[in-house]
Amino acid sequence: MKQLAEFVPIALFFIVYQLNGETVSLGSWVYTFDGIYTATAVLMAATLVQVVLTYALTGEFEKRAMWMLLAVLAFGGATLMLRNELFIQWKPTIFNWALAIAFGASQFIGDKNLMERTLGSQIRLPKPVWTRLNLLWVSNFAIVGALNLVVAYGFSEATWVSYKLYSAIGFTVALTILTAMMISPHLKEENTQP
């Protein structure tokens, strides 16, 4: 459910971007949607609302959500202040590469990598499986970050906005399936042991 909620700001970004050039009026107030700039403002607001709602429901701030909020506000703010879409286009790459570095470095720091620290209290897996799982996530973050730049620099802005939505869903589903495939044989072993 949490992963689905993370798509709401991205979906709103996509929807608002599609309204580029449309005008909305309420009484004497009139607003014309300004493409990636309006979409970026909505992304910033929606991410902030998402973090606040999560806190209201759970009573805690999730670290990953806080880092995402910080990145969205920093890169989104730069995009709006400087009227340059490259800042918001770089945000997914920098965020994913930072996660790749953090997960990768965790292989060498401490007794447990980030995957084991995150899920180890819920699932018991052999050390080599934790290592492969962590490296899968490192690979995912590195690839997603690189592909974002390929699309941002190689295609139109509209294509990048669409890619951002559909790739977020696609990569998350693929990563979830691959993770489940790596974990499931060991869950069966755990359930059959007395």
Side-chain angles (χ1 to χ4, degrees):
M1 187 65 164
K2 186 171 34 173
Q3 284 182 327
L4 286 176
E6 288 180 7
F7 289 120
V8 171
I10 296 170
L12 290 174
F13 176 84
F14 175 80
I15 291 166
V16 170
Y17 181 82
Q18 303 308 313
L19 297 172
N20 185 28
E22 297 291 324
T23 301
V24 176
S25 58
L26 295 168
S28 63
W29 180 79
V30 177
Y31 181 78
T32 302
F33 288 87
D34 190 15
I36 199 159
Y37 303 109
T38 303
T40 298
V42 168
L43 176 68
M44 293 167 67
T47 305
L48 179 62
V49 168
Q50 178 188 35
V51 168
V52 169
L53 283 176
T54 300
Y55 177 77
L57 294 172
T58 66
E60 57 187 47
F61 288 110
E62 186 180 301
K63 286 181 187 175
R64 184 176 179 274
M66 293 303 295
W67 284 111
M68 177 64 80
L69 175 61
L70 180 65
V72 166
L73 293 178
F75 288 95
T79 295
L80 296 178
M81 287 190 302
L82 301 173
R83 301 281 298 168
N84 185 339
E85 71 280 351
L86 286 179
F87 291 102
I88 200 66
Q89 288 177 326
W90 267 86
K91 194 269 317 162
T93 296
I94 291 173
F95 188 75
N96 279 291
W97 284 353
L99 287 173
I101 290 167
F103 275 71
S106 75
Q107 282 295 135
F108 309 103
I109 301 171
D111 294 337
K112 299 176 180 179
N113 62 39
L114 271 176
M115 286 306 299
E116 189 172 359
R117 290 179 202 164
T118 304
L119 299 175
S121 64
Q122 301 164 20
I123 307 166
R124 274 187 275 145
L125 297 172
K127 199 71 166 168
V129 176
W130 283 119
T131 299
R132 285 195 307 270
L133 194 57
N134 196 62
L135 293 175
L136 169 69
W137 282 62
V138 168
S139 300
N140 172 73
F141 293 135
I143 291 167
V144 168
L147 287 176
N148 179 68
L149 290 181
V150 168
V151 176
Y153 283 96
F155 298 90
S156 70
E157 179 185 281
T159 300
W160 176 81
V161 169
S162 296
Y163 169 80
K164 184 169 170 48
L165 173 68
Y166 298 122
S167 71
I169 295 168
F171 279 113
T172 299
V173 168
L175 186 60
T176 302
I177 290 169
L178 290 171
T179 300
M181 288 171 55
M182 290 177 81
I183 292 174
S184 63
H186 302 283
L187 295 178
K188 292 174 188 173
E189 289 173 11
E190 193 174 293
N191 289 337
T192 59
Q193 291 178 358

